[in-house]
PDB file of all heavy atoms in Angstrom:
ATOM      1  N   MET A 307       3.335 -59.422  35.210  1.00 98.00           N
ATOM      2  CA  MET A 307       3.397 -59.665  36.648  1.00 98.00           C
ATOM      3  C   MET A 307       4.120 -58.539  37.383  1.00 98.00           C
ATOM      4  O   MET A 307       3.955 -58.383  38.588  1.00 98.00           O
ATOM      5  CB  MET A 307       4.085 -61.000  36.945  1.00 98.00           C
ATOM      6  CG  MET A 307       5.527 -61.035  36.521  1.00 98.00           C
ATOM      7  SD  MET A 307       6.302 -62.655  36.744  1.00 98.00           S
ATOM      8  CE  MET A 307       6.569 -62.694  38.494  1.00 98.00           C
ATOM      9  N   ASN A 308       4.902 -57.735  36.664  1.00 98.00           N
ATOM     10  CA  ASN A 308       5.539 -56.594  37.336  1.00 98.00           C
ATOM     11  C   ASN A 308       4.491 -55.525  37.659  1.00 98.00           C
ATOM     12  O   ASN A 308       4.657 -54.754  38.591  1.00 98.00           O
ATOM     13  CB  ASN A 308       6.644 -55.996  36.453  1.00 98.00           C
ATOM     14  CG  ASN A 308       6.067 -55.285  35.250  1.00 98.00           C
ATOM     15  OD1 ASN A 308       5.435 -55.921  34.414  1.00 98.00           O
ATOM     16  ND2 ASN A 308       6.216 -53.989  35.185  1.00 98.00           N
ATOM     17  N   ASP A 309       3.404 -55.477  36.881  1.00 99.00           N
ATOM     18  CA  ASP A 309       2.336 -54.493  37.109  1.00 99.00           C
ATOM     19  C   ASP A 309       1.328 -54.995  38.144  1.00 99.00           C
ATOM     20  O   ASP A 309       0.760 -54.222  38.903  1.00 99.00           O
ATOM     21  CB  ASP A 309       1.591 -54.214  35.799  1.00 99.00           C
ATOM     22  CG  ASP A 309       2.524 -53.774  34.683  1.00 99.00           C
ATOM     23  OD1 ASP A 309       3.275 -52.807  34.912  1.00 99.00           O
ATOM     24  OD2 ASP A 309       2.521 -54.398  33.606  1.00 99.00           O
ATOM     25  N   LEU A 310       1.068 -56.286  38.118  1.00 99.00           N
ATOM     26  CA  LEU A 310       0.090 -56.905  39.020  1.00 99.00           C
ATOM     27  C   LEU A 310       0.663 -58.268  39.406  1.00 99.00           C
ATOM     28  O   LEU A 310       0.570 -59.231  38.638  1.00 99.00           O
ATOM     29  CB  LEU A 310      -1.270 -57.066  38.308  1.00 99.00           C
ATOM     30  CG  LEU A 310      -2.381 -57.732  39.126  1.00 99.00           C
ATOM     31  CD1 LEU A 310      -2.750 -56.889  40.348  1.00 99.00           C
ATOM     32  CD2 LEU A 310      -3.633 -57.942  38.274  1.00 99.00           C
ATOM     33  N   ILE A 311       1.243 -58.339  40.601  1.00 98.00           N
ATOM     34  CA  ILE A 311       1.978 -59.549  40.966  1.00 98.00           C
ATOM     35  C   ILE A 311       1.119 -60.573  41.709  1.00 98.00           C
ATOM     36  O   ILE A 311       1.538 -61.708  41.922  1.00 98.00           O
ATOM     37  CB  ILE A 311       3.230 -59.191  41.802  1.00 98.00           C
ATOM     38  CG1 ILE A 311       4.269 -60.320  41.692  1.00 98.00           C
ATOM     39  CG2 ILE A 311       2.872 -58.873  43.236  1.00 98.00           C
ATOM     40  CD1 ILE A 311       5.558 -60.062  42.416  1.00 98.00           C
ATOM     41  N   ARG A 312      -0.089 -60.175  42.082  1.00 98.00           N
ATOM     42  CA  ARG A 312      -0.889 -61.042  42.955  1.00 98.00           C
ATOM     43  C   ARG A 312      -1.149 -62.447  42.383  1.00 98.00           C
ATOM     44  O   ARG A 312      -1.042 -63.428  43.119  1.00 98.00           O
ATOM     45  CB  ARG A 312      -2.214 -60.365  43.345  1.00 98.00           C
ATOM     46  CG  ARG A 312      -2.018 -59.012  44.059  1.00 98.00           C
ATOM     47  CD  ARG A 312      -3.275 -58.511  44.752  1.00 98.00           C
ATOM     48  NE  ARG A 312      -3.640 -59.368  45.851  1.00 98.00           N
ATOM     49  CZ  ARG A 312      -4.562 -60.286  45.800  1.00 98.00           C
ATOM     50  NH1 ARG A 312      -5.296 -60.449  44.716  1.00 98.00           N
ATOM     51  NH2 ARG A 312      -4.793 -61.048  46.842  1.00 98.00           N
ATOM     52  N   PRO A 313      -1.484 -62.589  41.090  1.00 98.00           N
ATOM     53  CA  PRO A 313      -1.688 -63.957  40.585  1.00 98.00           C
ATOM     54  C   PRO A 313      -0.421 -64.807  40.715  1.00 98.00           C
ATOM     55  O   PRO A 313      -0.493 -65.970  41.114  1.00 98.00           O
ATOM     56  CB  PRO A 313      -2.071 -63.729  39.113  1.00 98.00           C
ATOM     57  CG  PRO A 313      -2.688 -62.361  39.100  1.00 98.00           C
ATOM     58  CD  PRO A 313      -1.874 -61.570  40.097  1.00 98.00           C
ATOM     59  N   ALA A 314       0.743 -64.219  40.412  1.00 98.00           N
ATOM     60  CA  ALA A 314       1.987 -64.988  40.466  1.00 98.00           C
ATOM     61  C   ALA A 314       2.369 -65.323  41.901  1.00 98.00           C
ATOM     62  O   ALA A 314       2.864 -66.407  42.190  1.00 98.00           O
ATOM     63  CB  ALA A 314       3.112 -64.203  39.803  1.00 98.00           C
ATOM     64  N   LEU A 315       2.129 -64.384  42.806  1.00 96.00           N
ATOM     65  CA  LEU A 315       2.617 -64.554  44.170  1.00 96.00           C
ATOM     66  C   LEU A 315       1.663 -65.332  45.072  1.00 96.00           C
ATOM     67  O   LEU A 315       2.095 -66.083  45.933  1.00 96.00           O
ATOM     68  CB  LEU A 315       2.896 -63.158  44.761  1.00 96.00           C
ATOM     69  CG  LEU A 315       3.769 -63.065  45.998  1.00 96.00           C
ATOM     70  CD1 LEU A 315       5.099 -63.769  45.810  1.00 96.00           C
ATOM     71  CD2 LEU A 315       4.025 -61.592  46.328  1.00 96.00           C
ATOM     72  N   TYR A 316       0.375 -65.122  44.890  1.00 95.00           N
ATOM     73  CA  TYR A 316      -0.605 -65.748  45.801  1.00 95.00           C
ATOM     74  C   TYR A 316      -1.605 -66.624  45.067  1.00 95.00           C
ATOM     75  O   TYR A 316      -2.645 -66.968  45.628  1.00 95.00           O
ATOM     76  CB  TYR A 316      -1.406 -64.686  46.565  1.00 95.00           C
ATOM     77  CG  TYR A 316      -0.616 -63.545  47.117  1.00 95.00           C
ATOM     78  CD1 TYR A 316      -0.774 -62.258  46.616  1.00 95.00           C
ATOM     79  CD2 TYR A 316       0.264 -63.743  48.174  1.00 95.00           C
ATOM     80  CE1 TYR A 316      -0.058 -61.196  47.137  1.00 95.00           C
ATOM     81  CE2 TYR A 316       0.983 -62.681  48.699  1.00 95.00           C
ATOM     82  CZ  TYR A 316       0.820 -61.412  48.174  1.00 95.00           C
ATOM     83  OH  TYR A 316       1.526 -60.361  48.696  1.00 95.00           O
ATOM     84  N   GLU A 317      -1.346 -66.911  43.805  1.00 95.00           N
ATOM     85  CA  GLU A 317      -2.322 -67.642  42.992  1.00 95.00           C
ATOM     86  C   GLU A 317      -3.679 -66.942  43.045  1.00 95.00           C
ATOM     87  O   GLU A 317      -4.731 -67.567  43.099  1.00 95.00           O
ATOM     88  CB  GLU A 317      -2.451 -69.092  43.484  1.00 95.00           C
ATOM     89  CG  GLU A 317      -1.129 -69.829  43.427  1.00 95.00           C
ATOM     90  CD  GLU A 317      -1.118 -71.108  44.236  1.00 95.00           C
ATOM     91  OE1 GLU A 317      -1.572 -71.095  45.396  1.00 95.00           O
ATOM     92  OE2 GLU A 317      -0.658 -72.128  43.697  1.00 95.00           O
ATOM     93  N   ALA A 318      -3.633 -65.619  43.069  1.00 97.00           N
ATOM     94  CA  ALA A 318      -4.861 -64.838  43.224  1.00 97.00           C
ATOM     95  C   ALA A 318      -5.651 -64.790  41.920  1.00 97.00           C
ATOM     96  O   ALA A 318      -5.073 -64.854  40.836  1.00 97.00           O
ATOM     97  CB  ALA A 318      -4.514 -63.414  43.657  1.00 97.00           C
ATOM     98  N   HIS A 319      -6.952 -64.668  42.049  1.00 98.00           N
ATOM     99  CA  HIS A 319      -7.839 -64.579  40.891  1.00 98.00           C
ATOM    100  C   HIS A 319      -8.327 -63.137  40.736  1.00 98.00           C
ATOM    101  O   HIS A 319      -8.879 -62.556  41.665  1.00 98.00           O
ATOM    102  CB  HIS A 319      -9.052 -65.493  41.097  1.00 98.00           C
ATOM    103  CG  HIS A 319     -10.040 -65.452  39.973  1.00 98.00           C
ATOM    104  ND1 HIS A 319     -10.203 -66.492  39.083  1.00 98.00           N
ATOM    105  CD2 HIS A 319     -10.912 -64.493  39.587  1.00 98.00           C
ATOM    106  CE1 HIS A 319     -11.131 -66.167  38.195  1.00 98.00           C
ATOM    107  NE2 HIS A 319     -11.582 -64.958  38.494  1.00 98.00           N
ATOM    108  N   HIS A 320      -8.102 -62.566  39.555  1.00 98.00           N
ATOM    109  CA  HIS A 320      -8.699 -61.264  39.224  1.00 98.00           C
ATOM    110  C   HIS A 320      -9.583 -61.468  38.008  1.00 98.00           C
ATOM    111  O   HIS A 320      -9.138 -62.075  37.015  1.00 98.00           O
ATOM    112  CB  HIS A 320      -7.608 -60.227  38.911  1.00 98.00           C
ATOM    113  CG  HIS A 320      -6.867 -59.777  40.127  1.00 98.00           C
ATOM    114  ND1 HIS A 320      -7.240 -58.674  40.854  1.00 98.00           N
ATOM    115  CD2 HIS A 320      -5.815 -60.316  40.774  1.00 98.00           C
ATOM    116  CE1 HIS A 320      -6.428 -58.543  41.891  1.00 98.00           C
ATOM    117  NE2 HIS A 320      -5.547 -59.530  41.874  1.00 98.00           N
ATOM    118  N   GLY A 321     -10.809 -60.965  38.076  1.00 98.00           N
ATOM    119  CA  GLY A 321     -11.691 -61.041  36.911  1.00 98.00           C
ATOM    120  C   GLY A 321     -11.011 -60.394  35.715  1.00 98.00           C
ATOM    121  O   GLY A 321     -10.194 -59.488  35.880  1.00 98.00           O
ATOM    122  N   PHE A 322     -11.320 -60.876  34.502  1.00 98.00           N
ATOM    123  CA  PHE A 322     -10.728 -60.331  33.276  1.00 98.00           C
ATOM    124  C   PHE A 322     -11.862 -60.071  32.312  1.00 98.00           C
ATOM    125  O   PHE A 322     -12.535 -61.003  31.875  1.00 98.00           O
ATOM    126  CB  PHE A 322      -9.729 -61.352  32.710  1.00 98.00           C
ATOM    127  CG  PHE A 322      -9.009 -60.896  31.474  1.00 98.00           C
ATOM    128  CD1 PHE A 322      -8.079 -59.870  31.534  1.00 98.00           C
ATOM    129  CD2 PHE A 322      -9.241 -61.509  30.244  1.00 98.00           C
ATOM    130  CE1 PHE A 322      -7.399 -59.453  30.394  1.00 98.00           C
ATOM    131  CE2 PHE A 322      -8.555 -61.099  29.101  1.00 98.00           C
ATOM    132  CZ  PHE A 322      -7.637 -60.069  29.180  1.00 98.00           C
ATOM    133  N   GLN A 323     -12.125 -58.798  32.029  1.00 97.00           N
ATOM    134  CA  GLN A 323     -13.306 -58.445  31.244  1.00 97.00           C
ATOM    135  C   GLN A 323     -12.947 -57.556  30.077  1.00 97.00           C
ATOM    136  O   GLN A 323     -12.132 -56.646  30.230  1.00 97.00           O
ATOM    137  CB  GLN A 323     -14.256 -57.614  32.128  1.00 97.00           C
ATOM    138  CG  GLN A 323     -14.578 -58.261  33.426  1.00 97.00           C
ATOM    139  CD  GLN A 323     -16.056 -58.089  33.733  1.00 97.00           C
ATOM    140  OE1 GLN A 323     -16.820 -57.693  32.861  1.00 97.00           O
ATOM    141  NE2 GLN A 323     -16.450 -58.375  34.939  1.00 97.00           N
ATOM    142  N   PRO A 324     -13.610 -57.763  28.944  1.00 98.00           N
ATOM    143  CA  PRO A 324     -13.402 -56.836  27.823  1.00 98.00           C
ATOM    144  C   PRO A 324     -14.028 -55.482  28.169  1.00 98.00           C
ATOM    145  O   PRO A 324     -15.043 -55.440  28.878  1.00 98.00           O
ATOM    146  CB  PRO A 324     -14.162 -57.491  26.678  1.00 98.00           C
ATOM    147  CG  PRO A 324     -15.195 -58.340  27.340  1.00 98.00           C
ATOM    148  CD  PRO A 324     -14.631 -58.775  28.661  1.00 98.00           C
ATOM    149  N   LEU A 325     -13.457 -54.391  27.688  1.00 98.00           N
ATOM    150  CA  LEU A 325     -14.073 -53.076  27.961  1.00 98.00           C
ATOM    151  C   LEU A 325     -15.294 -52.866  27.072  1.00 98.00           C
ATOM    152  O   LEU A 325     -16.156 -52.053  27.392  1.00 98.00           O
ATOM    153  CB  LEU A 325     -13.058 -51.951  27.741  1.00 98.00           C
ATOM    154  CG  LEU A 325     -11.822 -51.968  28.633  1.00 98.00           C
ATOM    155  CD1 LEU A 325     -11.098 -50.621  28.553  1.00 98.00           C
ATOM    156  CD2 LEU A 325     -12.156 -52.296  30.085  1.00 98.00           C
ATOM    157  N   VAL A 326     -15.334 -53.592  25.953  1.00 98.00           N
ATOM    158  CA  VAL A 326     -16.524 -53.551  25.103  1.00 98.00           C
ATOM    159  C   VAL A 326     -17.036 -54.984  24.992  1.00 98.00           C
ATOM    160  O   VAL A 326     -16.290 -55.874  24.579  1.00 98.00           O
ATOM    161  CB  VAL A 326     -16.187 -52.979  23.704  1.00 98.00           C
ATOM    162  CG1 VAL A 326     -17.441 -52.963  22.831  1.00 98.00           C
ATOM    163  CG2 VAL A 326     -15.596 -51.574  23.829  1.00 98.00           C
ATOM    164  N   LYS A 327     -18.285 -55.173  25.389  1.00 96.00           N
ATOM    165  CA  LYS A 327     -18.859 -56.533  25.424  1.00 96.00           C
ATOM    166  C   LYS A 327     -18.789 -57.215  24.074  1.00 96.00           C
ATOM    167  O   LYS A 327     -18.940 -56.566  23.046  1.00 96.00           O
ATOM    168  CB  LYS A 327     -20.319 -56.456  25.876  1.00 96.00           C
ATOM    169  CG  LYS A 327     -20.455 -56.895  27.303  1.00 96.00           C
ATOM    170  CD  LYS A 327     -21.878 -57.243  27.684  1.00 96.00           C
ATOM    171  CE  LYS A 327     -21.871 -57.524  29.177  1.00 96.00           C
ATOM    172  NZ  LYS A 327     -22.978 -56.930  29.878  1.00 96.00           N
ATOM    173  N   ARG A 328     -18.539 -58.514  24.085  1.00 91.00           N
ATOM    174  CA  ARG A 328     -18.401 -59.241  22.829  1.00 91.00           C
ATOM    175  C   ARG A 328     -19.336 -60.447  22.817  1.00 91.00           C
ATOM    176  O   ARG A 328     -19.660 -60.991  23.856  1.00 91.00           O
ATOM    177  CB  ARG A 328     -16.965 -59.713  22.676  1.00 91.00           C
ATOM    178  CG  ARG A 328     -15.971 -58.610  22.917  1.00 91.00           C
ATOM    179  CD  ARG A 328     -14.574 -59.099  22.718  1.00 91.00           C
ATOM    180  NE  ARG A 328     -14.407 -59.633  21.380  1.00 91.00           N
ATOM    181  CZ  ARG A 328     -13.791 -60.775  21.112  1.00 91.00           C
ATOM    182  NH1 ARG A 328     -13.311 -61.491  22.071  1.00 91.00           N
ATOM    183  NH2 ARG A 328     -13.666 -61.192  19.874  1.00 91.00           N
ATOM    184  N   ARG A 329     -19.738 -60.813  21.623  1.00 93.00           N
ATOM    185  CA  ARG A 329     -20.558 -62.015  21.458  1.00 93.00           C
ATOM    186  C   ARG A 329     -19.750 -63.060  20.729  1.00 93.00           C
ATOM    187  O   ARG A 329     -18.865 -62.716  19.948  1.00 93.00           O
ATOM    188  CB  ARG A 329     -21.791 -61.703  20.599  1.00 93.00           C
ATOM    189  CG  ARG A 329     -22.858 -60.971  21.337  1.00 93.00           C
ATOM    190  CD  ARG A 329     -24.013 -60.716  20.367  1.00 93.00           C
ATOM    191  NE  ARG A 329     -24.794 -59.572  20.794  1.00 93.00           N
ATOM    192  CZ  ARG A 329     -25.654 -59.607  21.808  1.00 93.00           C
ATOM    193  NH1 ARG A 329     -25.844 -60.725  22.484  1.00 93.00           N
ATOM    194  NH2 ARG A 329     -26.328 -58.533  22.155  1.00 93.00           N
TER     195      ARG A 329
END
Side-chain angles (χ1 to χ4, degrees):
M307 64 185 284
N308 70 297
D309 305 306
L310 179 64
I311 203 177
R312 302 195 66 260
L315 197 53
Y316 316 113
E317 301 164 313
H319 179 108
H320 287 268
F322 182 69
Q323 307 222 12
L325 298 194
V326 179
K327 256 197 186 136
R328 311 182 58 225
R329 283 180 204 284

